[in-house]
PDB file of all heavy atoms in Angstrom:
ATOM      1  N   ALA A 118     -24.671-126.221  62.398  1.00 98.00           N
ATOM      2  CA  ALA A 118     -24.957-127.451  63.334  1.00 98.00           C
ATOM      3  C   ALA A 118     -23.937-128.431  63.376  1.00 98.00           C
ATOM      4  O   ALA A 118     -23.563-129.031  64.336  1.00 98.00           O
ATOM      5  CB  ALA A 118     -26.306-127.982  62.986  1.00 98.00           C
ATOM      6  N   HIS A 119     -23.183-128.582  62.102  1.00 97.00           N
ATOM      7  CA  HIS A 119     -22.068-129.411  62.125  1.00 97.00           C
ATOM      8  C   HIS A 119     -21.039-129.084  63.158  1.00 97.00           C
ATOM      9  O   HIS A 119     -20.373-129.988  63.799  1.00 97.00           O
ATOM     10  CB  HIS A 119     -21.547-129.639  60.772  1.00 97.00           C
ATOM     11  CG  HIS A 119     -22.364-130.144  59.692  1.00 97.00           C
ATOM     12  ND1 HIS A 119     -23.398-131.067  59.971  1.00 97.00           N
ATOM     13  CD2 HIS A 119     -22.332-129.967  58.297  1.00 97.00           C
ATOM     14  CE1 HIS A 119     -23.958-131.465  58.829  1.00 97.00           C
ATOM     15  NE2 HIS A 119     -23.350-130.682  57.892  1.00 97.00           N
ATOM     16  N   TYR A 120     -20.871-127.762  63.283  1.00 98.00           N
ATOM     17  CA  TYR A 120     -19.703-127.328  64.048  1.00 98.00           C
ATOM     18  C   TYR A 120     -20.027-127.509  65.648  1.00 98.00           C
ATOM     19  O   TYR A 120     -19.333-127.985  66.361  1.00 98.00           O
ATOM     20  CB  TYR A 120     -19.437-125.749  63.854  1.00 98.00           C
ATOM     21  CG  TYR A 120     -19.108-125.445  62.410  1.00 98.00           C
ATOM     22  CD1 TYR A 120     -19.673-124.315  61.871  1.00 98.00           C
ATOM     23  CD2 TYR A 120     -18.366-126.287  61.666  1.00 98.00           C
ATOM     24  CE1 TYR A 120     -19.438-124.012  60.468  1.00 98.00           C
ATOM     25  CE2 TYR A 120     -18.164-125.961  60.274  1.00 98.00           C
ATOM     26  CZ  TYR A 120     -18.627-124.820  59.771  1.00 98.00           C
ATOM     27  OH  TYR A 120     -18.391-124.535  58.444  1.00 98.00           O
ATOM     28  N   ARG A 121     -21.293-127.212  65.924  1.00 98.00           N
ATOM     29  CA  ARG A 121     -21.784-127.394  67.225  1.00 98.00           C
ATOM     30  C   ARG A 121     -21.784-128.921  67.649  1.00 98.00           C
ATOM     31  O   ARG A 121     -21.210-129.249  68.710  1.00 98.00           O
ATOM     32  CB  ARG A 121     -23.256-126.843  67.447  1.00 98.00           C
ATOM     33  CG  ARG A 121     -23.403-125.371  67.109  1.00 98.00           C
ATOM     34  CD  ARG A 121     -24.662-124.840  67.587  1.00 98.00           C
ATOM     35  NE  ARG A 121     -25.872-125.528  67.079  1.00 98.00           N
ATOM     36  CZ  ARG A 121     -26.387-125.327  65.863  1.00 98.00           C
ATOM     37  NH1 ARG A 121     -25.969-124.152  65.102  1.00 98.00           N
ATOM     38  NH2 ARG A 121     -27.548-125.910  65.464  1.00 98.00           N
ATOM     39  N   ASN A 122     -22.373-129.658  66.789  1.00 98.00           N
ATOM     40  CA  ASN A 122     -22.347-131.174  67.022  1.00 98.00           C
ATOM     41  C   ASN A 122     -20.997-131.816  67.084  1.00 98.00           C
ATOM     42  O   ASN A 122     -20.692-132.739  67.831  1.00 98.00           O
ATOM     43  CB  ASN A 122     -23.224-131.817  66.063  1.00 98.00           C
ATOM     44  CG  ASN A 122     -24.676-131.309  66.120  1.00 98.00           C
ATOM     45  OD1 ASN A 122     -25.093-130.854  67.070  1.00 98.00           O
ATOM     46  ND2 ASN A 122     -25.433-131.506  65.117  1.00 98.00           N
ATOM     47  N   GLY A 123     -20.046-131.238  66.180  1.00 98.00           N
ATOM     48  CA  GLY A 123     -18.641-131.831  66.018  1.00 98.00           C
ATOM     49  C   GLY A 123     -17.938-131.509  67.352  1.00 98.00           C
ATOM     50  O   GLY A 123     -17.223-132.423  67.758  1.00 98.00           O
ATOM     51  N   ILE A 124     -18.077-130.239  67.764  1.00 98.00           N
ATOM     52  CA  ILE A 124     -17.368-129.939  69.002  1.00 98.00           C
ATOM     53  C   ILE A 124     -17.934-130.726  70.166  1.00 98.00           C
ATOM     54  O   ILE A 124     -17.097-131.311  70.927  1.00 98.00           O
ATOM     55  CB  ILE A 124     -17.451-128.398  69.388  1.00 98.00           C
ATOM     56  CG1 ILE A 124     -16.768-127.542  68.309  1.00 98.00           C
ATOM     57  CG2 ILE A 124     -17.045-128.062  70.652  1.00 98.00           C
ATOM     58  CD1 ILE A 124     -17.048-126.108  68.465  1.00 98.00           C
ATOM     59  N   ALA A 125     -19.265-130.846  70.253  1.00 98.00           N
ATOM     60  CA  ALA A 125     -19.820-131.453  71.437  1.00 98.00           C
ATOM     61  C   ALA A 125     -19.532-133.009  71.397  1.00 98.00           C
ATOM     62  O   ALA A 125     -19.163-133.575  72.460  1.00 98.00           O
ATOM     63  CB  ALA A 125     -21.383-131.279  71.347  1.00 98.00           C
ATOM     64  N   SER A 126     -19.651-133.667  70.280  1.00 98.00           N
ATOM     65  CA  SER A 126     -19.235-135.084  70.162  1.00 98.00           C
ATOM     66  C   SER A 126     -17.859-135.372  70.520  1.00 98.00           C
ATOM     67  O   SER A 126     -17.506-136.362  71.271  1.00 98.00           O
ATOM     68  CB  SER A 126     -19.644-135.596  68.795  1.00 98.00           C
ATOM     69  OG  SER A 126     -19.274-136.974  68.623  1.00 98.00           O
ATOM     70  N   SER A 127     -16.930-134.609  69.983  1.00 98.00           N
ATOM     71  CA  SER A 127     -15.500-134.762  70.172  1.00 98.00           C
ATOM     72  C   SER A 127     -15.094-134.474  71.657  1.00 98.00           C
ATOM     73  O   SER A 127     -14.304-135.229  72.190  1.00 98.00           O
ATOM     74  CB  SER A 127     -14.654-133.892  69.228  1.00 98.00           C
ATOM     75  OG  SER A 127     -14.993-134.186  67.838  1.00 98.00           O
ATOM     76  N   VAL A 128     -15.614-133.498  72.245  1.00 98.00           N
ATOM     77  CA  VAL A 128     -15.286-133.091  73.610  1.00 98.00           C
ATOM     78  C   VAL A 128     -15.792-134.346  74.482  1.00 98.00           C
ATOM     79  O   VAL A 128     -15.077-134.761  75.446  1.00 98.00           O
ATOM     80  CB  VAL A 128     -15.849-131.731  74.001  1.00 98.00           C
ATOM     81  CG1 VAL A 128     -15.815-131.581  75.522  1.00 98.00           C
ATOM     82  CG2 VAL A 128     -15.054-130.643  73.235  1.00 98.00           C
ATOM     83  N   ARG A 129     -17.002-134.672  74.261  1.00 98.00           N
ATOM     84  CA  ARG A 129     -17.503-135.722  75.152  1.00 98.00           C
ATOM     85  C   ARG A 129     -16.758-137.052  74.935  1.00 98.00           C
ATOM     86  O   ARG A 129     -16.464-137.790  76.027  1.00 98.00           O
ATOM     87  CB  ARG A 129     -19.044-135.970  74.767  1.00 98.00           C
ATOM     88  CG  ARG A 129     -19.970-134.951  75.281  1.00 98.00           C
ATOM     89  CD  ARG A 129     -21.376-135.310  74.906  1.00 98.00           C
ATOM     90  NE  ARG A 129     -22.316-134.313  75.581  1.00 98.00           N
ATOM     91  CZ  ARG A 129     -22.847-134.415  76.798  1.00 98.00           C
ATOM     92  NH1 ARG A 129     -22.522-135.493  77.520  1.00 98.00           N
ATOM     93  NH2 ARG A 129     -23.683-133.541  77.340  1.00 98.00           N
ATOM     94  N   ALA A 130     -16.170-137.243  73.753  1.00 98.00           N
ATOM     95  CA  ALA A 130     -15.470-138.463  73.622  1.00 98.00           C
ATOM     96  C   ALA A 130     -14.090-138.438  74.295  1.00 98.00           C
ATOM     97  O   ALA A 130     -13.795-139.529  74.917  1.00 98.00           O
ATOM     98  CB  ALA A 130     -15.152-138.544  72.069  1.00 98.00           C
ATOM     99  N   VAL A 131     -13.444-137.259  74.368  1.00 98.00           N
ATOM    100  CA  VAL A 131     -12.158-137.373  75.096  1.00 98.00           C
ATOM    101  C   VAL A 131     -12.288-137.374  76.598  1.00 98.00           C
ATOM    102  O   VAL A 131     -11.486-138.024  77.249  1.00 98.00           O
ATOM    103  CB  VAL A 131     -11.308-136.076  74.789  1.00 98.00           C
ATOM    104  CG1 VAL A 131     -10.836-136.164  73.167  1.00 98.00           C
ATOM    105  CG2 VAL A 131     -12.007-134.755  75.015  1.00 98.00           C
ATOM    106  N   LEU A 132     -13.513-136.912  77.053  1.00 98.00           N
ATOM    107  CA  LEU A 132     -13.811-137.028  78.471  1.00 98.00           C
ATOM    108  C   LEU A 132     -14.157-138.555  78.823  1.00 98.00           C
ATOM    109  O   LEU A 132     -13.663-139.017  79.822  1.00 98.00           O
ATOM    110  CB  LEU A 132     -14.960-136.109  78.895  1.00 98.00           C
ATOM    111  CG  LEU A 132     -14.832-134.618  78.751  1.00 98.00           C
ATOM    112  CD1 LEU A 132     -16.089-133.932  79.122  1.00 98.00           C
ATOM    113  CD2 LEU A 132     -13.681-134.273  79.658  1.00 98.00           C
ATOM    114  N   ALA A 133     -14.813-139.127  77.827  1.00 98.00           N
ATOM    115  CA  ALA A 133     -15.213-140.598  78.114  1.00 98.00           C
ATOM    116  C   ALA A 133     -13.980-141.409  78.076  1.00 98.00           C
ATOM    117  O   ALA A 133     -13.912-142.460  78.878  1.00 98.00           O
ATOM    118  CB  ALA A 133     -16.217-140.992  77.081  1.00 98.00           C
ATOM    119  N   GLN A 134     -12.966-141.167  77.237  1.00 97.00           N
ATOM    120  CA  GLN A 134     -11.962-142.048  77.139  1.00 97.00           C
ATOM    121  C   GLN A 134     -11.007-141.937  78.254  1.00 97.00           C
ATOM    122  O   GLN A 134     -10.455-142.988  78.678  1.00 97.00           O
ATOM    123  CB  GLN A 134     -11.044-141.492  75.870  1.00 97.00           C
ATOM    124  CG  GLN A 134     -11.483-141.752  74.534  1.00 97.00           C
ATOM    125  CD  GLN A 134     -10.641-141.093  73.425  1.00 97.00           C
ATOM    126  OE1 GLN A 134      -9.372-141.059  73.568  1.00 97.00           O
ATOM    127  NE2 GLN A 134     -11.253-140.636  72.398  1.00 97.00           N
ATOM    128  N   THR A 135     -11.094-140.839  79.060  1.00 97.00           N
ATOM    129  CA  THR A 135     -10.137-140.649  80.189  1.00 97.00           C
ATOM    130  C   THR A 135     -10.775-140.719  81.614  1.00 97.00           C
ATOM    131  O   THR A 135     -10.037-140.895  82.524  1.00 97.00           O
ATOM    132  CB  THR A 135      -9.390-139.303  80.072  1.00 97.00           C
ATOM    133  OG1 THR A 135     -10.425-138.326  79.949  1.00 97.00           O
ATOM    134  CG2 THR A 135      -8.543-139.295  78.744  1.00 97.00           C
TER     135      THR A 135
END
Side-chain angles (χ1 to χ4, degrees):
H119 292 334
Y120 307 139
R121 302 192 302 271
N122 297 337
I124 293 172
S126 177
S127 300
V128 167
R129 285 182 174 273
V131 294
L132 294 178
Q134 289 174 35
T135 58

